[in-house]
Amino acid sequence: MSEHKSIQAIEDELVEEFSLFDSWDDKYEYIIDMGKKLAPLENEHKLDENKVRGCQSTVWLVSEYNDGLIRFKADSDAIITKGLVSMLIRVLSNHTPDEIIDADLGFIQKIGMTTHLAQTRANGLLSMVKQMKNFALAYKIKNSMTHG
Amino acid sequence: MIESNTITKGLDVQAIRQQFPALNRQVKGQPLVYFDNAATTQKPQVVIDALVDYYTNYNANVHRGIHTLAEEATALFEASRNAARQFINASSREEIIFTRGTTEGINLVAYTWGRKNIKAGDEIIITEMEHHSNIVPWQILCEEKGAVLKMIPQRDGVLLLDEYKKLLSSKTKLVSVVHVSNALGTVNPVEDIITLAHQAGALVLVDGAQSTVHLDIDVQALDCDFFAFSSHKVYGPTGIGVLYGKKHLLEAMPPFQGGGEMIKEVTLEKTTYADLPYKFEAGTPNIGDAAVLKTALEFVTKIGKEKVRHHENELLAYATGLLKQIPGVTIIGNAPNKVSVVSFVIDKVHPQDIGILLDNRGIAVRTGHHCAQPLMVCYGIPGTIRASFAMYNTKEEVDKLIVGLEKALKMLL
């Protein structure tokens, strides 16, 4: 049986996981841990054109589209940012363009990310989300052109 | 209550702290440790009160109307100009132009003096440690005029004056130099820079954004041609600053912006401009903040810059010593003559991660390129972590920074 969890289910999982932490120190530790565990991006992908604009640190984000599902890969020179993008990958990767486009990503707010992170960094997070949704939209359009 | 005689010997930091209400704030559940003073200082209660007092009791437009409020507002506005004149020892009040801040002051010179006097092939010299506000206006001007922008190089936070001498020539029309580097804290030898520039026949603009709060400024002794600073880095309100210019230069310069206030007479054919300083103050100025600048400058003078400097330098030495003991830390900028700014990087750690984790402990530092990207390129780094100290900071706060850093590194590495 395939383990295809919905985006919402993964978001709920993350909210649940973060609810176990009392302090932001612990939350950051968890985010940092996720950053460290994210598979490193091959150097060939670390190109200017793969950079996400609007982050104080450098974030590279690439996507692949196979069998109707999008897979994201990313890296950052800052570990907390890498943890944040790792969370987004966990939520959004391996889903269809439509699922990604429709994701409301309420978990970001629920785990307190938007209120805790200063606005500029929150914007960096939103830039990553926007970039991922843009990829999904691009694949969707490409699909409709080849199949439609 | 604070006894006034506790202030006479050294700096009574606890008494000073009580005058800054923002320092009572909690950030992320911890008492705020504010180490971003090079970006902007917190404001003492007297400054906050003066702002409220201005809008409560005096608000009116200046230099117009004969009613009482207008006259009183004008008197406050002009008294502040006098206070600024005194603070930097300009010879006359006509030489004190109110601006939005240092950036606008530099732009004013670039757009008026620069447009009139810079021609194709002329050269303007800046330094490698300029803030973008002392780079971009000159780039725009040079591009427009076909002039050439040159940079005095630095090594480990010290300008290379021998290289500067090689850059100077009869083509040099202006040297625009930062007095104190915002990213490194270096106090540049502006006296020598000015003397050498004048020998070459060039004018000198000094960017005093970072120096004015720390150093005693005497524009006549310096003999600089222009000097710009911002109120908000000298414990005053945001949105107001001062451009000093030598009177004969300001008189010969065309106006910056057109509008009310800056004119003597307007007909459809010809407008004659107002006398100094009003020629450069088109439109209704930022009266409230300008009026309160006086309060801030008097606050600084009353406490005494020398005492504050002594205290801040102690904090700098203390923090620098402790930071050097943390494995992987490299101090960026080790000039012998510095103000209380310490910039550093840590091996294998992005400054932003440190900034986030320190913020989580209520500690405010600056991370990034500090609007000095050419300087960061010299060092081959994306940015630094910068702690900058003010009169109200304490060694206990530095200790918190060190503990915060150690905990952050434990999490990150």
Side-chain angles (χ1 to χ4, degrees):
Chain A
M1 174 176 156
S2 86
E3 272 269 355
H4 191 75
K5 287 181 200 155
S6 70
I7 287 178
Q8 191 56 56
I10 307 170
E11 286 191 50
D12 291 346
E13 267 177 22
L14 270 165
V15 173
E16 175 76 25
E17 287 165 19
F18 272 85
S19 73
L20 300 175
F21 303 121
D22 299 329
S23 73
W24 266 94
D25 256 359
D26 294 338
K27 290 185 189 182
Y28 276 124
E29 210 137 13
Y30 189 52
I31 295 168
I32 290 164
D33 195 47
M34 284 191 275
K36 286 177 181 167
K37 284 180 180 155
L38 182 68
L41 192 66
E42 299 82 5
N43 278 334
E44 66 196 72
H45 292 305
K46 289 185 179 174
L47 306 170
D48 261 3
E49 65 222 53
N50 292 331
K51 280 184 187 171
V52 180
R53 308 281 156 205
C55 309
Q56 202 190 77
S57 49
T58 306
V59 182
W60 297 271
L61 179 70
V62 294
S63 63
E64 293 166 359
Y65 185 58
N66 276 314
D67 306 327
L69 300 177
I70 299 175
R71 282 176 197 85
F72 293 106
K73 289 199 281 186
D75 207 341
S76 173
D77 55 351
I79 196 75
I80 292 173
T81 307
K82 202 167 157 181
L84 295 176
V85 78
S86 161
M87 261 197 295
L88 292 176
I89 290 176
R90 178 170 152 197
V91 172
L92 295 176
S93 221
N94 284 313
H95 287 94
T96 66
D98 276 328
E99 287 169 340
I100 293 166
I101 292 163
D102 294 340
D104 80 332
L105 302 178
F107 81 101
I108 296 174
Q109 186 129 23
K110 283 185 193 142
I111 63 180
M113 241 357 125
T114 33
T115 46
H116 198 83
L117 287 173
Q119 198 56 38
T120 46
R121 296 191 296 263
N123 284 343
L125 184 63
L126 295 181
S127 302
M128 293 185 246
V129 171
K130 198 173 156 195
Q131 185 61 42
M132 288 168 134
K133 290 205 170 206
N134 281 345
F135 276 128
L137 194 62
Y139 288 123
K140 184 185 162 136
I141 292 167
K142 208 172 158 192
N143 265 348
S144 68
M145 285 166 75
T146 46
H147 303 293
Chain B
M1 279 304 293
I2 314 136
E3 289 179 34
S4 59
N5 63 3
T6 58
I7 310 225
T8 47
K9 276 187 186 165
L11 199 63
D12 186 339
V13 179
Q14 286 313 317
I16 286 173
R17 288 183 70 81
Q18 288 179 31
Q19 299 182 57
F20 286 84
L23 299 179
N24 296 323
R25 259 207 68 164
Q26 300 268 312
V27 170
K28 308 278 157 72
Q30 316 252 13
L32 167 68
V33 173
Y34 188 77
F35 283 161
D36 197 15
N37 295 289
T40 196
T41 56
Q42 295 300 336
K43 314 307 169 198
Q45 191 66 52
V46 284
V47 165
I48 299 164
D49 289 346
L51 270 170
V52 173
D53 182 49
Y54 173 78
Y55 286 111
T56 308
N57 295 308
Y58 298 100
N59 177 56
N61 213 329
V62 289
H63 308 131
R64 300 177 247 268
I66 51 154
H67 60 82
T68 303
L69 283 192
E71 284 186 5
E72 287 175 356
T74 305
L76 287 172
F77 185 72
E78 291 305 323
S80 214
R81 195 189 305 278
N82 286 333
R85 182 206 67 72
Q86 203 178 350
F87 200 72
I88 60 171
N89 197 34
S91 60
S92 75
R93 53 182 292 286
E94 286 88 354
E95 295 176 322
I96 302 295
I97 316 291
F98 281 128
T99 62
R100 278 195 294 128
T102 308
T103 298
E104 190 177 60
I106 296 170
N107 274 280
L108 190 156
V109 176
Y111 278 87
T112 64
W113 178 87
R115 279 213 174 133
K116 188 175 176 188
N117 294 287
I118 296 295
K119 299 180 298 294
D122 285 348
E123 294 179 1
I124 294 171
I125 296 177
I126 58 175
T127 79
E128 225 165 46
M129 58 175 88
E130 298 305 327
H131 188 281
H132 295 163
S133 61
N134 197 28
I135 302 175
V136 183
W138 308 118
Q139 284 176 333
I140 294 172
L141 178 67
C142 287
E143 199 163 311
E144 186 181 314
K145 297 289 185 178
V148 181
L149 189 61
K150 297 196 161 176
M151 281 195 186
I152 308 170
Q154 62 87 38
R155 192 172 299 143
D156 202 15
V158 179
L159 289 177
L160 303 178
L161 286 190
D162 286 338
E163 297 300 316
Y164 169 52
K165 286 175 193 162
K166 289 182 210 159
L167 294 177
L168 279 167
S169 75
S170 59
K171 290 182 188 166
T172 312
K173 292 295 179 292
L174 178 76
V175 178
S176 191
V177 56
V178 69
H179 198 173
V180 165
S181 159
N182 72 311
L184 308 177
T186 305
V187 180
N188 286 319
V190 287
E191 297 83 355
D192 297 339
I193 291 171
I194 293 165
T195 304
L196 288 163
H198 284 170
Q199 282 167 5
L203 299 186
V204 181
L205 184 154
V206 175
D207 170 353
Q210 294 294 333
S211 61
T212 307
V213 70
H214 299 290
L215 310 177
D216 299 307
I217 306 295
D218 182 336
V219 290
Q220 293 186 74
L222 278 177
D223 197 27
C224 56
D225 300 286
F226 301 103
F227 185 95
F229 74 94
S230 302
S231 148
H232 74 95
K233 294 189 200 282
V234 195
Y235 305 98
T238 54
I240 193 77
V242 165
L243 171 71
Y244 157 83
K246 283 181 181 166
K247 199 172 168 185
H248 72 276
L249 293 169
L250 293 175
E251 275 171 344
M253 278 154 60
F256 182 36
Q257 294 170 332
E261 187 80 19
M262 52 77 72
I263 47 89
K264 204 171 256 173
E265 195 180 16
V266 176
T267 67
L268 282 179
E269 295 75 31
K270 171 90 185 145
T271 293
T272 47
Y273 301 122
D275 294 329
L276 291 174
Y278 310 111
K279 181 170 86 173
F280 295 106
E281 295 178 359
T284 295
N286 181 356
I287 305 163
D289 292 319
V292 174
L293 174 60
K294 177 173 189 275
T295 310
L297 299 180
E298 286 174 352
F299 171 80
V300 172
T301 304
K302 195 174 160 197
I303 287 178
K305 275 186 178 177
E306 198 180 334
K307 272 192 227 167
V308 172
R309 216 157 36 227
H310 181 73
H311 170 65
E312 289 173 344
N313 288 345
E314 270 190 356
L315 289 178
L316 176 69
Y318 183 65
T320 305
L322 290 177
L323 284 169
K324 280 182 174 167
Q325 288 172 27
I326 298 178
V329 166
T330 305
I331 307 288
I332 301 295
N334 289 292
N337 194 5
K338 278 179 70 169
V339 300
S340 51
V341 169
V342 61
S343 234
F344 58 98
V345 292
I346 308 175
D347 283 350
K348 300 188 190 98
V349 174
H350 196 284
Q352 185 187 260
D353 288 326
I354 296 289
I356 292 173
L357 294 175
L358 288 177
D359 179 59
N360 194 41
R361 316 192 86 78
I363 302 167
V365 295
R366 190 76 153 198
T367 62
H369 54 59
H370 314 298
C371 295
Q373 281 178 328
L375 182 64
M376 298 297 122
V377 170
C378 292
Y379 281 98
I381 53 176
T384 74
I385 303 147
R386 181 189 73 186
S388 49
F389 310 116
M391 58 167 76
Y392 40 68
N393 291 126
T394 64
K395 284 188 177 172
E396 290 72 30
E397 288 181 309
V398 173
D399 290 338
K400 284 185 185 174
L401 169 70
I402 300 299
V403 170
L405 277 172
E406 283 167 346
K407 293 209 165 155
L409 290 175
K410 220 169 141 189
M411 287 166 78
L412 292 166
L413 292 173

